Each structure stands twice: as structure tokens, then as C-alpha cells.
Amino acid sequence: MRLLLHVPKAPDEWRDAFVRALPGTEVRAWAPGPAWQADYAAFWHPPRELLDGQARLKAAFNLAAGVDATLRSLALPPGVPLVRLEDAGMGKQMEEYVAWAVLRYFRRLDDYARQQARAEWRVHRPPRHDEFPTGVMGLGVLGLRLAAMLRALGFPVLGWSASRKVLDGVRTFAGAGELDAFLRATRALVCMLPLTPDTAGLLNRATLGRLPPGAYVINVARGGIVVDDDLLALLDSGHLAGATLDAFHAEPLPAAHRFWSHPKVFLTPHCSALTLVEDSVAQVAGKIRAFERGEAVTGVVDRARGY
Ligand code: GLV
């Protein structure tokens, strides 16, 4: 069996992990030129021509949860399933990051940090969970974990997704028609949506303006879902109290971008959930074995839907 590999970072680590996980498989890094005919391909940030000339490819594995960049850039042979990572060690990291971000706002640690800068000793009244409904947008593998984690922390949890989901203990909303009701009832918005033509720019002045005054935005998905100037305007007007951002339109975030220095923005360099080599390779190898047995796998991307 042959596996074509293309990863911009740590290629040797990925190759060695695949060789260990799939004994007997020839793993080769992609190079421009005539196609080395492979059975499977695994990649991140693929060049457009990565799969050109591949005649017998059985499946292509996106070594990330989000497939927006791949769908934008890669010429995918028709009929070849594209499979994305499902959790693969990212869920736990996402839970930690979002728990921290929500609790930081809930416990007003951002305010206390500002007070410290002024040497101001002042205690705010105890926060109440029922006054702090959290809303998760995107109820896929990771979004579901976040909803469960927020529930376990004691917050009322709302969930919004493109198609209807019924979840224990979570008030769910579906589709464009129920977005306003979801936003109006959400105090801390957690964006875990895939970036698709439907979600690009979905968090804009109109939608974010429907969050109640003093609401918070936490974006751990993709920068393209947010209209940056609209978010900044709502932070500046005081309608929004803070934003925690881990994903941006352009990455690295350009040094001149206002997010860097905005007092109500806390940002991180797309690290809320890092891809873990061992976990990812174990998952992909398991799915390759399933394909070889003729079994169906989960995580196959619906190209028309975009995720
Ligand atoms: C990271 O952003 C991913 O899509 O896995």
C-alpha cells in the first residue's frame, strides 16, 4: 500500500508515525513532477496540484478538522472521498481553551486584570450562572464537546447549527430562521462553525448586534466567519464587552491589525486546539484499515455543503 504525504511542518515526524501505524506501507512525501501512484493521501495546506494524475486513490485525508483551505486550494479528483479529522485530541484542548475563556469573563478576571493595572482593590458581586447563558454555534464533533463541557460547568447552554440537533440539556436552534432567537438569548457566544459560503461573514454588525449588551464573543473556528470591523465597532460602542479570538482572516495576524492592541480583545495565534501527530495518525490509520476492509468511515466531507 502507498500513502502520499504532504505536511508543511514536521514532515519526518508525520512520516515515521504513519510508518509505525501502518506497517508495510510505503509513505512518500509529495514532490512536484509525475504522480507517484498512491492508494491514499494525507495532507495539510495542499498545493493545488497535489493529487493531479492520481489514478487509483481510494481516499484523501485532511490532517485538520477544518476543510475550508483544502476545498479552496486543492483540485480533488472526482469521486475520491475527502475525510477530515474528528476530534483526534483536539476536543480536549478546545474544552480547556473555551472553559478558560468563558470562566475568565464569567468571573470577571478581565476586569480584575484592568483593576490590577490601576492598583484598584474592588470586589464585584458574585456571578450567577443563570445570568450567563453560553451559546455554541456549530454542533459538530467539537461543538458538542463544548456544549457538554459548558453544561458541566453549570452554565445554561444554547446551541445553534445549520441543521436541527436534539441534545440533552441544551436548548437548540437551527437555521437562519432561528439565529436571532439564539443570539438574543446568548451572553457568551462560542463560535465553532466550519467556514463555508453560508458562514463567511455570518458574525457581523447585524448578527452580533443581537447579542445582549455586555455579551462576549469567543471565536475558535475560522476568522472568515467574523467581519472584523463590525466586531471592533461593537466592542468600541460598548455593546460587546470582550472578544477572545484564536482565528483570523489572515494568519499570522498582520502586525498593524487593530485586534493586537484593542483593550477588549484577547487573542492567541491559532493554538486553541493543535493537531496532534500521534492521535491524528492513529485516527487516519484506523480509517485506512476500515477502507481496506470495505467499511464505511465517519468524517467524510460533503463537498457541496463545505464541511
Ligand atoms: C485547525 O484549525 C483545524 O481545522 O484543525
Side-chain angles (χ1 to χ4, degrees):
M1 197 160 62
R2 288 172 160 194
L3 173 70
L4 181 70
L5 184 63
H6 174 77
V7 283
K9 273 197 262 168
D12 295 346
E13 192 184 345
W14 282 96
R15 193 205 47 233
D16 294 351
F18 271 117
V19 167
R20 276 196 305 276
L22 294 165
T25 299
E26 204 180 336
V27 182
R28 195 180 280 191
W30 177 80
W36 175 70
Q37 298 297 326
D39 303 283
Y40 297 95
F43 47 79
W44 180 225
H45 284 305
R48 167 159 291 278
E49 64 277 22
L50 180 80
L51 302 180
D52 285 0
Q54 291 293 339
R56 62 171 209 230
L57 205 64
K58 298 178 204 166
F61 290 90
N62 185 72
L63 295 173
V67 289
D68 47 294
T70 292
L71 291 178
R72 239 187 351 258
S73 69
L74 179 66
L76 203 57
V80 173
L82 173 67
V83 186
R84 62 189 148 88
L85 289 183
E86 299 177 284
D87 194 324
M90 281 184 269
K92 173 114 181 64
Q93 299 175 70
M94 266 310 170
E95 283 182 22
E96 291 162 354
Y97 186 99
V98 170
W100 168 83
V102 169
L103 289 172
R104 173 169 172 266
Y105 292 136
F106 177 62
R107 296 297 307 266
R108 299 188 64 169
L109 298 176
D110 55 336
D111 286 331
Y112 287 117
R114 283 188 273 269
Q115 287 179 212
Q116 180 175 350
R118 300 190 294 265
E120 180 185 346
W121 182 278
R122 180 159 74 99
V123 179
H124 299 281
R125 72 175 178 83
R128 290 173 42 147
H129 289 89
D130 60 354
E131 292 174 353
F132 212 85
T134 56
V136 180
M137 291 186 90
L139 298 172
V141 175
L142 298 175
L144 288 177
R145 281 194 68 154
L146 296 181
M149 175 278 292
L150 290 165
R151 229 189 118 202
L153 285 177
F155 294 105
V157 182
L158 295 79
W160 182 86
S161 49
S163 56
R164 187 162 304 283
K165 301 259 162 73
V166 179
L167 301 175
D168 203 24
V170 178
R171 208 176 136 204
T172 52
F173 300 76
E178 293 178 16
L179 182 56
D180 283 9
F182 164 81
L183 293 167
R184 285 186 207 287
T186 290
R187 180 81 188 279
L189 178 70
V190 178
C191 175
M192 192 71 262
L193 289 168
L195 177 60
T196 70
D198 289 335
T199 65
L202 183 62
L203 297 181
N204 53 43
R205 190 183 288 253
T207 51
L208 293 175
R210 287 187 191 108
L211 292 167
Y216 300 92
V217 173
I218 298 160
N219 184 17
V220 284
R222 286 292 184 267
I225 298 163
V226 176
V227 178
D228 293 359
D229 286 342
D230 292 0
L231 173 61
L232 284 163
L234 289 163
L235 289 166
D236 287 339
S237 75
H239 184 77
L240 295 179
T244 296
L245 307 174
D246 185 53
F248 305 92
H249 283 261
E251 295 180 2
L253 182 66
H257 199 290
R258 276 188 67 205
F259 283 156
W260 280 114
S261 56
H262 197 285
K264 290 185 182 169
V265 172
F266 180 90
L267 69 82
T268 46
H270 204 133
C271 61
S272 54
L274 298 169
T275 303
L276 304 177
V277 176
E278 288 299 330
D279 299 54
S280 306
V281 166
Q283 182 172 104
V284 170
K287 289 185 183 184
I288 287 178
R289 285 191 286 269
F291 272 116
E292 290 295 301
R293 291 191 300 265
E295 293 167 8
V297 303
T298 57
V300 176
V301 173
D302 176 339
R303 295 191 211 182
R305 212 173 54 165
Y307 62 97

